[in-house]
Structure formats: C-alpha cells, structure tokens
C-alpha cells in the first residue's frame, strides 16, 4: 500500500498540473511582482506543497542563480496561486528556469515532484548615475592636458601624432594631394594618405568596455572589497549606469550621440529618439569575445563615420586598453575621456600612476568611486517581500527576506 502512494500522488496531484506565470513591474525601481497560477485536479487535504523558483541573471560576469521556495496548502482546490515581490534587482536581463512543485504528506511517507516549463524573463534597465559629461567626480583630479571640459562634444582637441597611424595608408597613384600626410613625408616616413576625413558634425560617442577576457581577470585587479565573483559585476553595472547618464544628458542638450557596446553596430541617439532602445541594450550588455572598447572605436574610424572634434567617452575598468584608445582618439583628432569605476581599496599610488599617464597622453580621466555596498553579489542585495496572492484565501504568499546559506541557495518561508 505504501509503495503505491507515490504513484497515486503523482496521478492525483501532479499528472494534470499546469502553471501560468504572470510578471508585473513593481512599484519601485528594480522591483518585480510575480504571480504563479496553478491549475489541475483538486488536491486532497493534509498534503504539503512546496514551490521552487530559480531566477538567473544572464548579464553578469560570474553570478549564481537565486533560488526561492515556498510552502502552500491548496487543499481541495483546482486552482491556487502563490505570489511574491522581489526587489533591489540590479541592471540586467533575468530569466526563470523550470518551476518545481513537490507534493508530500505530513509524515513523509510519499511524495512526488513535477517540473513545469514556463519560460519567462524580464529586464531591469540601468539607473543613470555619475557626473555629467565634462564634470568631475568627487576626488577625481582633472587631467591638465585634457580638453576644455565644457561638456560639449567638441570641447577639446588632443595632440595629433604624425606618421603612419590607424587612419593612414601607403600613397597610391591618383590619391588627392590634399590628403597626403606631408609631415610624415618630411620626417622620412614616405608618402602616406590620410583616411580620416569624415562627413558629418561632431557628436558624442559612448564606448562601453565589454571584452570578455578583461572582465574575467578583474577579480584581483579591481581594488573592490568582497568576493571576486561580485566585483566585476559591480564595475560593469556602474559602467552601464554611467553610459545611460551620458546618453540621457546628451539627448537633453540636443547633441547627436552614439552608443558602441561590444561587437554590435553602434546605436544612434538623437534628441529623445533611440533612448529606450539604448537603455535595453545597456540592460542586456554582458562581456563577450571581441567586445573591447578600442576595437569598437577602431571600427568606427575605419567606417569613416566619425567626424573630427567628436567627444569620446569610454566607460572602462582598470586594465582596459587605455593606450590603444588614446592612440585612436589622437588619430581621429577627438578628445577622449575615460570614466573608470573604482572601490575604496584601490591604492593612492595606483591612482596617481594612471593620472600621470593620462596627463602625458592628453586624456581626461574621471574616477567613479563605488561604495562597498555596490560590491555585493546581486543575490545578497535582492529581497523578497510579502505580496497578496489573491482573494478568498485561495493562496499563500511568500514572505520574509531572502536568507543565504553557505551553498548559495536561498529560502523564503511563511
């Protein structure tokens, strides 16, 4: 008789169980309201039902999923609901795995488990943050060799380097003489033809560093407290938030702007047009092979679409290809501003070294200090709150805050 109980539970409780997941935006930024609606055969009394949800953040560098569990008692009901609100979510794209429903008797004599496929997901847009373009963050000395700092796209002209560069090639018969680099010829470097005469007006170019290899090795180089797995995510989220702020400010000022993030084609933002799409792209931004900021800038220069005098703002952590970015910006005759998120553990000597390099290279360097609370994994900052699951007592709600265990699993109980 006892041996037949699991099969009976499976037929009675789980054989025809269906799931519908309803996602709604929460009342606060970074909050989502979730309702799980179950339907099927009536569940006998005295059965305990456990619902297990798994939420993954797919845009992090090395994040683990958040696992939520809850007990419900839907006795003699064909339809029942559990619901919860999850808040303090960081920028990114989130996806749910299969929902697992486990049904057991109070004595633990028999149980059955059903996995219900209900693919769902949502995106949390980045919160614009950081100083406006041309402004200086607290504790960030302005490079003396940088441009005017007026905040305009054409607010400075960095030094240009003569000779063969990213925007020159060997002279070919028929090339216009006005495009010959006569300075290089006078220095004995042969005849070179400039390729940096682009059409269009100066604009703001926002570069987001997404090189996969760089983000993977940032655990010890970031200078941030906390676990190595959380540090790169905090840096990347700060870069995305700063990129969102720059694009928003450029749109408000009426500037033309472009977002270059990873290997995707640059996205244009003019006025208010393109901002929603740019926000979605920043929410989905994650490290990828070939996604470096200098590679994105070089593609722009090769395309001939970047006008001299355009302002380049690169969002990059320590360890990025700063030298290459500076070289490309000089060749394009565009001022370059590096915006770098850092934590309190970064030594003053390391900061001074990079500041000296920026002054010599004619690059404006803006530090973006991060608080220690930003360096926690997203699961450590997420919270689950009680939410009304329905009328008539047909549901049980999730309640309490997420509690982490050593294995990284999370439990919410009533």
């Amino acid at each position: 008789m006892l041996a037949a109980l699991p099969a009976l539970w499976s037929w009675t409780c789980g054989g025809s169980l269906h799931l519908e997941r309803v996602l709604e935006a929460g009342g606060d930024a970074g909050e989502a309201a979730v309702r799980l609606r179950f339907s099927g055969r009536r569940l006998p009394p005295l059965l305990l039902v456990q619902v297990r949800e798994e939420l993954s953040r797919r845009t992090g560098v090395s994040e683990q999923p958040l696992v939520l569990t809850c007990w419900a008692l839907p006795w003699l009901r064909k339809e029942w609901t559990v619901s919860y609100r999850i808040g303090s979510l960081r920028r990114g794209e989130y996806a749910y795995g299969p929902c697992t429903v486990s049904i057991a008797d109070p004595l633990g004599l028999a149980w059955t488990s059903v996995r219900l496929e209900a693919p769902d997901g949502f995106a949390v847009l980045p919160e614009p943050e950081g100083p406006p373009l041309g402004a200086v963050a607290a504790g960030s000395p302005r490079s003396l060799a940088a441009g005017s700092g007026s905040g305009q796209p054409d607010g400075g002209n960095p030094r240009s380097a003569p000779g063969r560069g990213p925007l020159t090639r060997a002279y070919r018969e028929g090339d216009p003489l006005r495009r010959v680099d006569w300075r290089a010829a006078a220095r004995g470097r042969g005849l070179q033809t400039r390729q940096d005469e682009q059409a269009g007006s100066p604009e703001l170019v926002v570069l987001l560093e997404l090189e996969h290899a760089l983000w993977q090795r940032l655990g010890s180089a970031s200078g941030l407290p906390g676990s190595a797995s959380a540090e790169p995510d905090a840096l990347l989220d700060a870069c995305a938030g700063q990129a969102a702020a720059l694009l928003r400010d450029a749109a408000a000022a009426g500037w033309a702007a472009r977002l270059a993030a990873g290997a995707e084609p640059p996205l244009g933002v003019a006025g208010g047009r393109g901002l929603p799409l740019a926000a979605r792209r920043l929410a989905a931004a994650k490290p990828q092979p070939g996604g470096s900021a200098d590679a994105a800038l070089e593609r722009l220069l090769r395309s001939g679409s970047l006008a001299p005098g355009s302002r380049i703002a690169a969002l990059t952590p320590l360890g990025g290809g700063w030298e290459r970015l500076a070289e490309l910006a000089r060749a394009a005759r565009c001022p370059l501003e590096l915006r770098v998120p850092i934590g309190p553990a970064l030594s003053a000597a390391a900061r001074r070294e990079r500041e000296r390099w920026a002054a010599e290279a004619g690059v404006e360097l803006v530090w973006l200090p991060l608080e220690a609370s930003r360096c926690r994994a997203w699961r450590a900052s997420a919270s689950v709150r009680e939410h009304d699951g329905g009328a008539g007592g047909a549901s049980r709600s999730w309640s309490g805050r997420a509690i982490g265990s050593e294995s990284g699993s999370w439990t919410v109980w009533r």
Side-chain angles (χ1 to χ4, degrees), residues 22 55 70 90 115 177 231 246 306 311 340 367 389 403:
V22 180
L55 181 64
C70 149
R90 294 181 178 174
R115 286 170 59 89
L177 294 180
E231 293 167 2
L246 294 178
L306 183 61
R311 181 125 190 186
V340 185
W367 299 118
I403 307 299

Side-chain angles (χ1 to χ4, degrees), residues 249-300:
D249 294 346
W255 305 340
R258 272 191 286 181
L259 170 65
E264 296 185 58
L267 177 63
V269 177
R273 299 187 303 274
L275 275 180
L277 187 56
R280 287 302 301 261
R281 182 171 292 189
L282 288 173
K286 61 181 179 180
Q288 54 189 264
S292 65
D294 54 288
L297 179 56
E298 185 166 4
R299 286 193 295 269
L300 270 177

Side-chain angles (χ1 to χ4, degrees), residues 82-247:
V82 295
S83 58
Y84 61 93
R85 287 181 183 270
I86 182 167
S88 302
L89 293 171
R90 294 181 178 174
R91 170 213 71 94
E93 287 190 331
Y94 295 80
Y96 279 98
C99 179
T100 303
V101 179
S102 300
I103 305 172
D105 68 281
L107 300 179
L109 298 177
W111 68 277
T112 185
S113 182
V114 181
R115 286 170 59 89
L116 302 177
E117 298 286 347
D120 275 312
F122 57 88
V124 177
L125 302 183
E127 190 72 21
E129 59 178 294
L133 188 66
V136 183
S140 298
R142 184 182 295 277
S143 168
L144 299 178
S148 65
S150 64
Q152 300 297 324
D154 55 350
N157 292 299
R159 300 187 298 270
S160 60
R164 185 175 180 84
L167 299 178
T168 61
R169 58 170 172 78
Y171 175 81
R172 299 172 187 165
E173 186 176 355
D175 286 348
L177 294 180
R178 62 183 175 84
R179 296 180 60 188
V180 173
D181 190 343
W182 296 109
R183 273 206 227 165
R187 298 189 180 202
R189 300 181 183 176
L191 291 180
Q192 304 291 329
T193 300
R194 293 193 304 270
Q195 303 183 88
D196 56 350
E197 294 191 6
Q198 301 91 351
S201 302
E203 61 183 342
L204 171 66
V205 177
V206 178
L207 301 174
L208 181 60
E209 178 62 65
L210 292 178
E211 176 55 48
H212 184 268
L214 168 64
W215 288 105
Q216 287 296 322
R217 65 172 182 264
L218 276 180
S220 59
S222 63
L224 292 171
S227 64
S229 63
E231 293 167 2
D233 289 287
L235 294 169
L236 182 54
D237 290 346
C239 288
Q242 177 67 175
L246 294 178
L247 293 173

Side-chain angles (χ1 to χ4, degrees), residues 296-354:
L297 179 56
E298 185 166 4
R299 286 193 295 269
L300 270 177
L301 302 185
R302 296 288 186 187
S303 70
S305 61
L306 183 61
S310 295
R311 181 125 190 186
I312 301 171
L315 292 313
T316 172
L318 287 171
W322 294 7
E323 289 78 6
R324 181 60 174 163
L325 282 171
E327 176 190 354
L328 293 168
R330 284 194 298 268
R333 302 197 298 264
C334 294
L336 173 64
E337 183 175 294
L338 297 175
R339 300 203 161 205
V340 185
I342 58 171
L346 181 65
S347 68
R351 291 177 60 166
R352 287 195 298 268
E353 178 186 356
R354 302 314 292 168

Side-chain angles (χ1 to χ4, degrees), residues 14-40:
S16 61
L17 194 60
H18 301 284
L19 166 64
E20 178 188 6
R21 186 185 288 108
V22 180
L23 303 175
E24 299 175 353
D28 301 325
E31 183 180 74
V34 185
R35 288 200 307 274
L36 302 176
R37 295 174 178 170
F38 297 90
S39 60

